Amino acid sequence: MTATNGEPPAVRQGAGRARVVLGLVGDKWSLLVVCHLDHGPRRFTELKRAVDGISQRMLTVTLRGLERDGLLTRTVHNVMPPHVTYELTPMGRTLYEATTPLLRWTTEHLADIDEARAEYDARAEYDIRADTPAARSAGNAPDR
Amino acid sequence: MTATNGEPPAVRQGAGRARVVLGLVGDKWSLLVVCHLDHGPRRFTELKRAVDGISQRMLTVTLRGLERDGLLTRTVHNVMPPHVTYELTPMGRTLYEATTPLLRWTTEHLADIDEARAEYDARAEYDIRADTPAARSAGNAPDR
DNA sequence: CAGCATCCCCCCGGATACTG
DNA sequence: CAGTATCCGGGGGGATGCTG
């Protein structure tokens, strides 16, 4: 049904997986929470402060989602004062490990990205001012 | 101002990187587009059909963002009919490579996640029906 | 302390129509 | 073919107030 006529199967596989990844940790907070849990179990308010910027509501929602996916466990301790700890499951830990190449990539290329953005923005600014239609349509194709 | 009092530096580093990652590919489409570009340059409508479900608008927006970040190049060919090709930059390709562990992880654990969700949902269903407050507060701590 | 319920705003993103 | 411009609805997510 999906008109993926000429695409090799590997492409669709990658795309499908990407969809799932985003469904898992593509939201605004899940990955952050997982990061903070990698260093051991944490309590609710610990996470609340650590993730910094997250609201109670979103922390709860995020934790529930991750728990539902089997990525972390929620443990209620019946003491006074009562507290709850969250801890990555083995699967959750493997997820974190799978993300580390991406995290490493980010730190390594952060400067490049900033530079690229600055260049792009500067170029866009120039194009607007000079209003050079030639610059957009003419042979700006790279020679390789 | 950010009350990250007790956290070891490594935690904040991970969290900071995670933020950037999400800013880059955390949106709904970027990663999908990058996946489809890994197999060589593609034209606009090729991507439009391949990514399947993406609207013209979002494809344009996504491509612009990726171009701005220096992850792909946009090349206008002045022929009839005119067409434009998009291709990953070297940096874009390294990004894709950095994501592959995550993509692999997904395929490997997809079944586990589905299972965990089904279990969680079943448990939730049961809790609602039986309305067992004890089940939520009592010692349901895992024994490991 | 941990978390649910409610209200509400914003903006992501889809649909449609128009251009070079 | 490859966009841009405009409208607009749904839901992500923040703020606040209340429970066990």
mmCIF file of all heavy atoms in Angstrom, chain D:
data_model
loop_
_atom_site.group_PDB
_atom_site.id
_atom_site.type_symbol
_atom_site.label_atom_id
_atom_site.label_comp_id
_atom_site.label_asym_id
_atom_site.label_seq_id
_atom_site.Cartn_x
_atom_site.Cartn_y
_atom_site.Cartn_z
ATOM 1 P P DC D 1 6.658 15.749 -11.557
ATOM 2 O OP1 DC D 1 7.398 14.588 -11.118
ATOM 3 O OP2 DC D 1 5.569 16.231 -10.724
ATOM 4 O "O5'" DC D 1 7.710 16.930 -11.793
ATOM 5 C "C5'" DC D 1 9.095 16.616 -11.954
ATOM 6 C "C4'" DC D 1 9.884 17.743 -11.362
ATOM 7 O "O4'" DC D 1 9.234 18.993 -11.683
ATOM 8 C "C3'" DC D 1 9.990 17.693 -9.833
ATOM 9 O "O3'" DC D 1 11.346 17.971 -9.478
ATOM 10 C "C2'" DC D 1 9.079 18.806 -9.347
ATOM 11 C "C1'" DC D 1 9.048 19.775 -10.518
ATOM 12 N N1 DC D 1 7.749 20.488 -10.650
ATOM 13 C C2 DC D 1 7.720 21.877 -10.528
ATOM 14 O O2 DC D 1 8.773 22.483 -10.318
ATOM 15 N N3 DC D 1 6.541 22.519 -10.650
ATOM 16 C C4 DC D 1 5.423 21.820 -10.883
ATOM 17 N N4 DC D 1 4.269 22.500 -10.997
ATOM 18 C C5 DC D 1 5.434 20.400 -11.010
ATOM 19 C C6 DC D 1 6.604 19.777 -10.886
ATOM 20 P P DA D 2 11.873 17.555 -8.017
ATOM 21 O OP1 DA D 2 13.310 17.247 -8.153
ATOM 22 O OP2 DA D 2 10.972 16.559 -7.430
ATOM 23 O "O5'" DA D 2 11.744 18.920 -7.200
ATOM 24 C "C5'" DA D 2 12.474 20.050 -7.664
ATOM 25 C "C4'" DA D 2 11.966 21.286 -6.989
ATOM 26 O "O4'" DA D 2 10.642 21.592 -7.455
ATOM 27 C "C3'" DA D 2 11.873 21.175 -5.462
ATOM 28 O "O3'" DA D 2 12.475 22.323 -4.875
ATOM 29 C "C2'" DA D 2 10.369 21.156 -5.213
ATOM 30 C "C1'" DA D 2 9.893 22.031 -6.359
ATOM 31 N N9 DA D 2 8.471 21.921 -6.659
ATOM 32 C C8 DA D 2 7.695 20.793 -6.726
ATOM 33 N N7 DA D 2 6.444 21.014 -7.017
ATOM 34 C C5 DA D 2 6.377 22.398 -7.142
ATOM 35 C C6 DA D 2 5.319 23.270 -7.438
ATOM 36 N N6 DA D 2 4.071 22.862 -7.676
ATOM 37 N N1 DA D 2 5.591 24.594 -7.496
ATOM 38 C C2 DA D 2 6.854 25.005 -7.262
ATOM 39 N N3 DA D 2 7.937 24.268 -6.967
ATOM 40 C C4 DA D 2 7.624 22.970 -6.932
ATOM 41 P P DG D 3 12.937 22.184 -3.289
ATOM 42 O OP1 DG D 3 13.660 23.426 -2.944
ATOM 43 O OP2 DG D 3 13.598 20.902 -3.115
ATOM 44 O "O5'" DG D 3 11.567 22.126 -2.444
ATOM 45 C "C5'" DG D 3 11.208 23.246 -1.703
ATOM 46 C "C4'" DG D 3 10.581 24.313 -2.585
ATOM 47 O "O4'" DG D 3 9.565 23.707 -3.396
ATOM 48 C "C3'" DG D 3 9.869 25.388 -1.815
ATOM 49 O "O3'" DG D 3 10.796 26.398 -1.475
ATOM 50 C "C2'" DG D 3 8.802 25.887 -2.788
ATOM 51 C "C1'" DG D 3 8.654 24.719 -3.776
ATOM 52 N N9 DG D 3 7.311 24.132 -3.798
ATOM 53 C C8 DG D 3 6.982 22.809 -3.627
ATOM 54 N N7 DG D 3 5.706 22.558 -3.734
ATOM 55 C C5 DG D 3 5.148 23.808 -3.992
ATOM 56 C C6 DG D 3 3.789 24.182 -4.219
ATOM 57 O O6 DG D 3 2.789 23.458 -4.212
ATOM 58 N N1 DG D 3 3.659 25.552 -4.437
ATOM 59 C C2 DG D 3 4.708 26.446 -4.445
ATOM 60 N N2 DG D 3 4.389 27.728 -4.660
ATOM 61 N N3 DG D 3 5.974 26.119 -4.251
ATOM 62 C C4 DG D 3 6.123 24.782 -4.037
ATOM 63 P P DT D 4 10.636 27.110 -0.075
ATOM 64 O OP1 DT D 4 11.855 27.898 0.154
ATOM 65 O OP2 DT D 4 10.232 26.069 0.865
ATOM 66 O "O5'" DT D 4 9.402 28.110 -0.242
ATOM 67 C "C5'" DT D 4 9.521 29.258 -1.081
ATOM 68 C "C4'" DT D 4 8.171 29.941 -1.150
ATOM 69 O "O4'" DT D 4 7.190 28.985 -1.594
ATOM 70 C "C3'" DT D 4 7.685 30.488 0.202
ATOM 71 O "O3'" DT D 4 7.316 31.840 0.023
ATOM 72 C "C2'" DT D 4 6.500 29.597 0.540
ATOM 73 C "C1'" DT D 4 6.022 29.141 -0.828
ATOM 74 N N1 DT D 4 5.322 27.827 -0.817
ATOM 75 C C2 DT D 4 3.967 27.784 -1.031
ATOM 76 O O2 DT D 4 3.292 28.778 -1.222
ATOM 77 N N3 DT D 4 3.424 26.513 -1.012
ATOM 78 C C4 DT D 4 4.096 25.318 -0.812
ATOM 79 O O4 DT D 4 3.505 24.265 -0.815
ATOM 80 C C5 DT D 4 5.515 25.450 -0.594
ATOM 81 C C7 DT D 4 6.331 24.230 -0.355
ATOM 82 C C6 DT D 4 6.062 26.672 -0.597
ATOM 83 P P DA D 5 6.937 32.730 1.322
ATOM 84 O OP1 DA D 5 7.326 34.113 1.007
ATOM 85 O OP2 DA D 5 7.493 32.055 2.517
ATOM 86 O "O5'" DA D 5 5.346 32.649 1.390
ATOM 87 C "C5'" DA D 5 4.576 32.862 0.214
ATOM 88 C "C4'" DA D 5 3.092 32.867 0.573
ATOM 89 O "O4'" DA D 5 2.561 31.512 0.445
ATOM 90 C "C3'" DA D 5 2.771 33.330 1.979
ATOM 91 O "O3'" DA D 5 1.613 34.163 1.947
ATOM 92 C "C2'" DA D 5 2.509 32.026 2.744
ATOM 93 C "C1'" DA D 5 1.924 31.129 1.653
ATOM 94 N N9 DA D 5 2.191 29.703 1.848
ATOM 95 C C8 DA D 5 3.389 29.124 2.160
ATOM 96 N N7 DA D 5 3.333 27.821 2.268
ATOM 97 C C5 DA D 5 2.006 27.517 2.005
ATOM 98 C C6 DA D 5 1.305 26.298 1.954
ATOM 99 N N6 DA D 5 1.866 25.111 2.183
ATOM 100 N N1 DA D 5 -0.019 26.336 1.659
ATOM 101 C C2 DA D 5 -0.584 27.530 1.434
ATOM 102 N N3 DA D 5 -0.025 28.746 1.448
ATOM 103 C C4 DA D 5 1.287 28.665 1.739
ATOM 104 P P DT D 6 1.195 34.969 3.289
ATOM 105 O OP1 DT D 6 0.733 36.302 2.878
ATOM 106 O OP2 DT D 6 2.266 34.832 4.298
ATOM 107 O "O5'" DT D 6 -0.067 34.127 3.764
ATOM 108 C "C5'" DT D 6 -1.069 33.770 2.808
ATOM 109 C "C4'" DT D 6 -2.030 32.770 3.413
ATOM 110 O "O4'" DT D 6 -1.438 31.451 3.372
ATOM 111 C "C3'" DT D 6 -2.411 33.015 4.880
ATOM 112 O "O3'" DT D 6 -3.789 33.312 4.971
ATOM 113 C "C2'" DT D 6 -2.064 31.688 5.583
ATOM 114 C "C1'" DT D 6 -1.984 30.711 4.433
ATOM 115 N N1 DT D 6 -1.109 29.547 4.679
ATOM 116 C C2 DT D 6 -1.620 28.276 4.532
ATOM 117 O O2 DT D 6 -2.773 28.055 4.206
ATOM 118 N N3 DT D 6 -0.720 27.271 4.782
ATOM 119 C C4 DT D 6 0.606 27.408 5.160
ATOM 120 O O4 DT D 6 1.307 26.432 5.348
ATOM 121 C C5 DT D 6 1.069 28.761 5.301
ATOM 122 C C7 DT D 6 2.478 29.020 5.710
ATOM 123 C C6 DT D 6 0.205 29.756 5.058
ATOM 124 P P DC D 7 -4.406 33.784 6.382
ATOM 125 O OP1 DC D 7 -5.365 34.873 6.103
ATOM 126 O OP2 DC D 7 -3.333 33.980 7.384
ATOM 127 O "O5'" DC D 7 -5.244 32.478 6.776
ATOM 128 C "C5'" DC D 7 -6.052 31.839 5.787
ATOM 129 C "C4'" DC D 7 -6.410 30.439 6.256
ATOM 130 O "O4'" DC D 7 -5.229 29.609 6.230
ATOM 131 C "C3'" DC D 7 -6.961 30.369 7.689
ATOM 132 O "O3'" DC D 7 -8.234 29.729 7.686
ATOM 133 C "C2'" DC D 7 -5.912 29.550 8.448
ATOM 134 C "C1'" DC D 7 -5.266 28.736 7.332
ATOM 135 N N1 DC D 7 -3.879 28.293 7.629
ATOM 136 C C2 DC D 7 -3.559 26.928 7.561
ATOM 137 O O2 DC D 7 -4.432 26.115 7.254
ATOM 138 N N3 DC D 7 -2.288 26.540 7.833
ATOM 139 C C4 DC D 7 -1.364 27.456 8.155
ATOM 140 N N4 DC D 7 -0.137 27.019 8.412
ATOM 141 C C5 DC D 7 -1.671 28.850 8.225
ATOM 142 C C6 DC D 7 -2.936 29.226 7.956
ATOM 143 P P DC D 8 -9.178 29.873 8.972
ATOM 144 O OP1 DC D 8 -10.575 29.822 8.509
ATOM 145 O OP2 DC D 8 -8.697 30.992 9.817
ATOM 146 O "O5'" DC D 8 -8.858 28.505 9.729
ATOM 147 C "C5'" DC D 8 -8.899 27.277 9.017
ATOM 148 C "C4'" DC D 8 -8.348 26.166 9.884
ATOM 149 O "O4'" DC D 8 -6.905 26.172 9.831
ATOM 150 C "C3'" DC D 8 -8.724 26.293 11.368
ATOM 151 O "O3'" DC D 8 -9.227 25.064 11.827
ATOM 152 C "C2'" DC D 8 -7.396 26.614 12.047
ATOM 153 C "C1'" DC D 8 -6.411 25.893 11.127
ATOM 154 N N1 DC D 8 -5.023 26.391 11.217
ATOM 155 C C2 DC D 8 -3.966 25.467 11.303
ATOM 156 O O2 DC D 8 -4.214 24.265 11.296
ATOM 157 N N3 DC D 8 -2.697 25.929 11.392
ATOM 158 C C4 DC D 8 -2.467 27.248 11.387
ATOM 159 N N4 DC D 8 -1.212 27.662 11.474
ATOM 160 C C5 DC D 8 -3.535 28.197 11.302
ATOM 161 C C6 DC D 8 -4.788 27.731 11.215
ATOM 162 P P DG D 9 -10.488 24.985 12.696
ATOM 163 O OP1 DG D 9 -11.601 25.040 11.730
ATOM 164 O OP2 DG D 9 -10.405 25.961 13.812
ATOM 165 O "O5'" DG D 9 -10.423 23.513 13.307
ATOM 166 C "C5'" DG D 9 -10.138 22.416 12.454
ATOM 167 C "C4'" DG D 9 -9.113 21.516 13.103
ATOM 168 O "O4'" DG D 9 -7.826 22.158 13.077
ATOM 169 C "C3'" DG D 9 -9.406 21.186 14.579
ATOM 170 O "O3'" DG D 9 -9.603 19.782 14.687
ATOM 171 C "C2'" DG D 9 -8.168 21.670 15.343
ATOM 172 C "C1'" DG D 9 -7.121 21.840 14.257
ATOM 173 N N9 DG D 9 -6.195 22.951 14.474
ATOM 174 C C8 DG D 9 -6.534 24.274 14.621
ATOM 175 N N7 DG D 9 -5.502 25.052 14.776
ATOM 176 C C5 DG D 9 -4.419 24.200 14.742
ATOM 177 C C6 DG D 9 -3.033 24.484 14.858
ATOM 178 O O6 DG D 9 -2.481 25.568 15.031
ATOM 179 N N1 DG D 9 -2.265 23.311 14.753
ATOM 180 C C2 DG D 9 -2.764 22.052 14.565
ATOM 181 N N2 DG D 9 -1.872 21.058 14.496
ATOM 182 N N3 DG D 9 -4.055 21.784 14.452
ATOM 183 C C4 DG D 9 -4.821 22.899 14.550
ATOM 184 P P DG D 10 -9.685 19.096 16.090
ATOM 185 O OP1 DG D 10 -10.456 17.844 15.902
ATOM 186 O OP2 DG D 10 -10.123 20.101 17.077
ATOM 187 O "O5'" DG D 10 -8.177 18.692 16.426
ATOM 188 C "C5'" DG D 10 -7.473 17.772 15.587
ATOM 189 C "C4'" DG D 10 -6.244 17.240 16.290
ATOM 190 O "O4'" DG D 10 -5.294 18.309 16.489
ATOM 191 C "C3'" DG D 10 -6.485 16.633 17.665
ATOM 192 O "O3'" DG D 10 -5.683 15.464 17.810
ATOM 193 C "C2'" DG D 10 -6.100 17.749 18.641
ATOM 194 C "C1'" DG D 10 -5.061 18.553 17.859
ATOM 195 N N9 DG D 10 -5.153 20.000 18.062
ATOM 196 C C8 DG D 10 -6.302 20.724 18.254
ATOM 197 N N7 DG D 10 -6.085 21.999 18.390
ATOM 198 C C5 DG D 10 -4.703 22.128 18.281
ATOM 199 C C6 DG D 10 -3.874 23.281 18.343
ATOM 200 O O6 DG D 10 -4.213 24.461 18.527
ATOM 201 N N1 DG D 10 -2.537 22.961 18.172
ATOM 202 C C2 DG D 10 -2.043 21.699 17.978
ATOM 203 N N2 DG D 10 -0.729 21.582 17.836
ATOM 204 N N3 DG D 10 -2.806 20.613 17.908
ATOM 205 C C4 DG D 10 -4.117 20.903 18.074
ATOM 206 P P DG D 11 -5.569 14.727 19.198
ATOM 207 O OP1 DG D 11 -5.422 13.291 18.873
ATOM 208 O OP2 DG D 11 -6.667 15.181 20.072
ATOM 209 O "O5'" DG D 11 -4.207 15.232 19.815
ATOM 210 C "C5'" DG D 11 -2.996 15.143 19.064
ATOM 211 C "C4'" DG D 11 -1.876 15.818 19.844
ATOM 212 O "O4'" DG D 11 -2.126 17.236 19.920
ATOM 213 C "C3'" DG D 11 -1.734 15.351 21.301
ATOM 214 O "O3'" DG D 11 -0.381 15.437 21.674
ATOM 215 C "C2'" DG D 11 -2.559 16.383 22.048
ATOM 216 C "C1'" DG D 11 -2.131 17.622 21.275
ATOM 217 N N9 DG D 11 -3.015 18.762 21.426
ATOM 218 C C8 DG D 11 -4.373 18.755 21.601
ATOM 219 N N7 DG D 11 -4.889 19.955 21.699
ATOM 220 C C5 DG D 11 -3.803 20.800 21.592
ATOM 221 C C6 DG D 11 -3.736 22.208 21.623
ATOM 222 O O6 DG D 11 -4.654 23.016 21.760
ATOM 223 N N1 DG D 11 -2.424 22.663 21.468
ATOM 224 C C2 DG D 11 -1.317 21.857 21.307
ATOM 225 N N2 DG D 11 -0.145 22.463 21.175
ATOM 226 N N3 DG D 11 -1.383 20.540 21.270
ATOM 227 C C4 DG D 11 -2.645 20.082 21.423
ATOM 228 P P DG D 12 0.423 14.257 22.279
ATOM 229 O OP1 DG D 12 0.594 13.285 21.211
ATOM 230 O OP2 DG D 12 -0.228 13.874 23.559
ATOM 231 O "O5'" DG D 12 1.827 14.919 22.621
ATOM 232 C "C5'" DG D 12 2.521 15.639 21.618
ATOM 233 C "C4'" DG D 12 3.139 16.890 22.190
ATOM 234 O "O4'" DG D 12 2.138 17.925 22.387
ATOM 235 C "C3'" DG D 12 3.824 16.724 23.535
ATOM 236 O "O3'" DG D 12 5.013 17.499 23.548
ATOM 237 C "C2'" DG D 12 2.805 17.262 24.535
ATOM 238 C "C1'" DG D 12 2.141 18.368 23.735
ATOM 239 N N9 DG D 12 0.753 18.651 24.094
ATOM 240 C C8 DG D 12 -0.253 17.739 24.251
ATOM 241 N N7 DG D 12 -1.399 18.297 24.559
ATOM 242 C C5 DG D 12 -1.121 19.646 24.600
ATOM 243 C C6 DG D 12 -1.966 20.749 24.888
ATOM 244 O O6 DG D 12 -3.165 20.736 25.161
ATOM 245 N N1 DG D 12 -1.291 21.958 24.834
ATOM 246 C C2 DG D 12 0.048 22.098 24.533
ATOM 247 N N2 DG D 12 0.534 23.334 24.529
ATOM 248 N N3 DG D 12 0.847 21.076 24.268
ATOM 249 C C4 DG D 12 0.203 19.886 24.323
ATOM 250 P P DG D 13 6.142 17.176 24.631
ATOM 251 O OP1 DG D 13 7.441 17.493 24.010
ATOM 252 O OP2 DG D 13 5.895 15.828 25.187
ATOM 253 O "O5'" DG D 13 5.866 18.260 25.760
ATOM 254 C "C5'" DG D 13 5.881 19.640 25.414
ATOM 255 C "C4'" DG D 13 5.128 20.440 26.459
ATOM 256 O "O4'" DG D 13 3.721 20.231 26.349
ATOM 257 C "C3'" DG D 13 5.484 20.108 27.919
ATOM 258 O "O3'" DG D 13 5.797 21.304 28.576
ATOM 259 C "C2'" DG D 13 4.194 19.518 28.457
ATOM 260 C "C1'" DG D 13 3.204 20.327 27.651
ATOM 261 N N9 DG D 13 1.833 19.858 27.719
ATOM 262 C C8 DG D 13 1.399 18.559 27.683
ATOM 263 N N7 DG D 13 0.106 18.447 27.789
ATOM 264 C C5 DG D 13 -0.339 19.756 27.909
ATOM 265 C C6 DG D 13 -1.645 20.276 28.057
ATOM 266 O O6 DG D 13 -2.713 19.645 28.113
ATOM 267 N N1 DG D 13 -1.651 21.663 28.141
ATOM 268 C C2 DG D 13 -0.535 22.455 28.092
ATOM 269 N N2 DG D 13 -0.723 23.775 28.190
ATOM 270 N N3 DG D 13 0.700 21.980 27.951
ATOM 271 C C4 DG D 13 0.723 20.638 27.868
ATOM 272 P P DG D 14 6.880 21.339 29.775
ATOM 273 O OP1 DG D 14 8.222 21.499 29.179
ATOM 274 O OP2 DG D 14 6.596 20.198 30.668
ATOM 275 O "O5'" DG D 14 6.501 22.674 30.547
ATOM 276 C "C5'" DG D 14 6.426 23.909 29.850
ATOM 277 C "C4'" DG D 14 5.411 24.817 30.519
ATOM 278 O "O4'" DG D 14 4.077 24.329 30.236
ATOM 279 C "C3'" DG D 14 5.538 24.911 32.034
ATOM 280 O "O3'" DG D 14 5.478 26.272 32.455
ATOM 281 C "C2'" DG D 14 4.338 24.120 32.567
ATOM 282 C "C1'" DG D 14 3.322 24.272 31.438
ATOM 283 N N9 DG D 14 2.417 23.130 31.335
ATOM 284 C C8 DG D 14 2.754 21.834 31.044
ATOM 285 N N7 DG D 14 1.734 21.030 31.017
ATOM 286 C C5 DG D 14 0.650 21.843 31.308
ATOM 287 C C6 DG D 14 -0.726 21.528 31.412
ATOM 288 O O6 DG D 14 -1.271 20.432 31.282
ATOM 289 N N1 DG D 14 -1.488 22.653 31.718
ATOM 290 C C2 DG D 14 -0.983 23.917 31.899
ATOM 291 N N2 DG D 14 -1.873 24.872 32.201
ATOM 292 N N3 DG D 14 0.293 24.221 31.794
ATOM 293 C C4 DG D 14 1.061 23.139 31.499
ATOM 294 P P DA D 15 5.839 26.639 33.979
ATOM 295 O OP1 DA D 15 6.571 27.911 33.960
ATOM 296 O OP2 DA D 15 6.420 25.438 34.649
ATOM 297 O "O5'" DA D 15 4.389 26.886 34.615
ATOM 298 C "C5'" DA D 15 3.439 27.691 33.920
ATOM 299 C "C4'" DA D 15 2.213 27.917 34.807
ATOM 300 O "O4'" DA D 15 1.247 26.864 34.579
ATOM 301 C "C3'" DA D 15 2.501 27.920 36.304
ATOM 302 O "O3'" DA D 15 1.763 28.964 36.924
ATOM 303 C "C2'" DA D 15 2.047 26.537 36.775
ATOM 304 C "C1'" DA D 15 0.945 26.192 35.785
ATOM 305 N N9 DA D 15 0.865 24.754 35.487
ATOM 306 C C8 DA D 15 1.901 23.914 35.214
ATOM 307 N N7 DA D 15 1.539 22.673 34.976
ATOM 308 C C5 DA D 15 0.156 22.708 35.102
ATOM 309 C C6 DA D 15 -0.822 21.724 34.956
ATOM 310 N N6 DA D 15 -0.553 20.447 34.652
ATOM 311 N N1 DA D 15 -2.119 22.082 35.149
ATOM 312 C C2 DA D 15 -2.388 23.352 35.458
ATOM 313 N N3 DA D 15 -1.546 24.379 35.616
ATOM 314 C C4 DA D 15 -0.274 23.981 35.416
ATOM 315 P P DT D 16 1.998 29.202 38.521
ATOM 316 O OP1 DT D 16 1.921 30.669 38.729
ATOM 317 O OP2 DT D 16 3.169 28.424 39.002
ATOM 318 O "O5'" DT D 16 0.676 28.537 39.124
ATOM 319 C "C5'" DT D 16 -0.582 28.721 38.472
ATOM 320 C "C4'" DT D 16 -1.604 27.766 39.065
ATOM 321 O "O4'" DT D 16 -1.414 26.450 38.498
ATOM 322 C "C3'" DT D 16 -1.529 27.593 40.588
ATOM 323 O "O3'" DT D 16 -2.743 28.026 41.171
ATOM 324 C "C2'" DT D 16 -1.316 26.086 40.794
ATOM 325 C "C1'" DT D 16 -1.806 25.508 39.475
ATOM 326 N N1 DT D 16 -1.204 24.202 39.120
ATOM 327 C C2 DT D 16 -2.033 23.128 38.907
ATOM 328 O O2 DT D 16 -3.243 23.181 38.986
ATOM 329 N N3 DT D 16 -1.385 21.956 38.589
ATOM 330 C C4 DT D 16 -0.013 21.768 38.471
ATOM 331 O O4 DT D 16 0.449 20.676 38.183
ATOM 332 C C5 DT D 16 0.794 22.932 38.720
ATOM 333 C C7 DT D 16 2.280 22.846 38.632
ATOM 334 C C6 DT D 16 0.166 24.085 39.029
ATOM 335 P P DG D 17 -2.889 28.077 42.806
ATOM 336 O OP1 DG D 17 -3.674 29.279 43.144
ATOM 337 O OP2 DG D 17 -1.535 27.880 43.392
ATOM 338 O "O5'" DG D 17 -3.762 26.777 43.110
ATOM 339 C "C5'" DG D 17 -4.929 26.489 42.335
ATOM 340 C "C4'" DG D 17 -5.506 25.139 42.743
ATOM 341 O "O4'" DG D 17 -4.737 24.081 42.111
ATOM 342 C "C3'" DG D 17 -5.464 24.859 44.252
ATOM 343 O "O3'" DG D 17 -6.684 24.239 44.658
ATOM 344 C "C2'" DG D 17 -4.294 23.891 44.401
ATOM 345 C "C1'" DG D 17 -4.363 23.128 43.082
ATOM 346 N N9 DG D 17 -3.096 22.518 42.690
ATOM 347 C C8 DG D 17 -1.851 23.109 42.686
ATOM 348 N N7 DG D 17 -0.897 22.313 42.280
ATOM 349 C C5 DG D 17 -1.558 21.119 42.006
ATOM 350 C C6 DG D 17 -1.042 19.884 41.546
ATOM 351 O O6 DG D 17 0.110 19.593 41.268
ATOM 352 N N1 DG D 17 -2.059 18.925 41.409
ATOM 353 C C2 DG D 17 -3.375 19.146 41.678
ATOM 354 N N2 DG D 17 -4.191 18.116 41.504
ATOM 355 N N3 DG D 17 -3.866 20.297 42.115
ATOM 356 C C4 DG D 17 -2.903 21.233 42.253
ATOM 357 P P DC D 18 -6.903 23.876 46.218
ATOM 358 O OP1 DC D 18 -8.246 24.330 46.590
ATOM 359 O OP2 DC D 18 -5.725 24.320 46.986
ATOM 360 O "O5'" DC D 18 -6.912 22.280 46.148
ATOM 361 C "C5'" DC D 18 -7.784 21.615 45.231
ATOM 362 C "C4'" DC D 18 -7.565 20.100 45.269
ATOM 363 O "O4'" DC D 18 -6.283 19.780 44.688
ATOM 364 C "C3'" DC D 18 -7.561 19.500 46.677
ATOM 365 O "O3'" DC D 18 -8.314 18.299 46.661
ATOM 366 C "C2'" DC D 18 -6.090 19.227 46.950
ATOM 367 C "C1'" DC D 18 -5.562 18.931 45.553
ATOM 368 N N1 DC D 18 -4.123 19.228 45.374
ATOM 369 C C2 DC D 18 -3.238 18.199 45.011
ATOM 370 O O2 DC D 18 -3.676 17.058 44.856
ATOM 371 N N3 DC D 18 -1.927 18.490 44.840
ATOM 372 C C4 DC D 18 -1.492 19.739 45.013
ATOM 373 N N4 DC D 18 -0.186 19.977 44.814
ATOM 374 C C5 DC D 18 -2.357 20.803 45.377
ATOM 375 C C6 DC D 18 -3.667 20.505 45.552
ATOM 376 P P DT D 19 -8.491 17.344 47.930
ATOM 377 O OP1 DT D 19 -9.897 17.122 48.220
ATOM 378 O OP2 DT D 19 -7.547 17.802 48.970
ATOM 379 O "O5'" DT D 19 -7.932 15.986 47.269
ATOM 380 C "C5'" DT D 19 -8.185 14.722 47.847
ATOM 381 C "C4'" DT D 19 -7.027 13.803 47.576
ATOM 382 O "O4'" DT D 19 -5.851 14.566 47.228
ATOM 383 C "C3'" DT D 19 -6.613 12.946 48.772
ATOM 384 O "O3'" DT D 19 -6.843 11.577 48.477
ATOM 385 C "C2'" DT D 19 -5.132 13.233 48.984
ATOM 386 C "C1'" DT D 19 -4.725 13.850 47.647
ATOM 387 N N1 DT D 19 -3.561 14.780 47.715
ATOM 388 C C2 DT D 19 -2.311 14.292 47.388
ATOM 389 O O2 DT D 19 -2.094 13.150 47.049
ATOM 390 N N3 DT D 19 -1.304 15.218 47.475
ATOM 391 C C4 DT D 19 -1.413 16.545 47.836
ATOM 392 O O4 DT D 19 -0.430 17.270 47.872
ATOM 393 C C5 DT D 19 -2.740 16.988 48.173
ATOM 394 C C7 DT D 19 -2.970 18.399 48.580
ATOM 395 C C6 DT D 19 -3.748 16.091 48.097
ATOM 396 P P DG D 20 -7.243 10.529 49.563
ATOM 397 O OP1 DG D 20 -8.667 10.209 49.436
ATOM 398 O OP2 DG D 20 -6.699 11.048 50.848
ATOM 399 O "O5'" DG D 20 -6.389 9.236 49.146
ATOM 400 C "C5'" DG D 20 -5.270 9.347 48.289
ATOM 401 C "C4'" DG D 20 -4.059 8.625 48.874
ATOM 402 O "O4'" DG D 20 -2.951 9.558 48.926
ATOM 403 C "C3'" DG D 20 -4.229 8.114 50.307
ATOM 404 O "O3'" DG D 20 -3.384 6.969 50.471
ATOM 405 C "C2'" DG D 20 -3.710 9.268 51.140
ATOM 406 C "C1'" DG D 20 -2.536 9.735 50.277
ATOM 407 N N9 DG D 20 -2.143 11.133 50.426
ATOM 408 C C8 DG D 20 -2.919 12.201 50.807
ATOM 409 N N7 DG D 20 -2.257 13.322 50.838
ATOM 410 C C5 DG D 20 -0.973 12.983 50.470
ATOM 411 C C6 DG D 20 0.192 13.784 50.338
ATOM 412 O O6 DG D 20 0.309 14.986 50.507
ATOM 413 N N1 DG D 20 1.287 13.009 49.936
ATOM 414 C C2 DG D 20 1.265 11.656 49.711
ATOM 415 N N2 DG D 20 2.398 11.098 49.353
ATOM 416 N N3 DG D 20 0.181 10.902 49.842
ATOM 417 C C4 DG D 20 -0.889 11.633 50.220
#
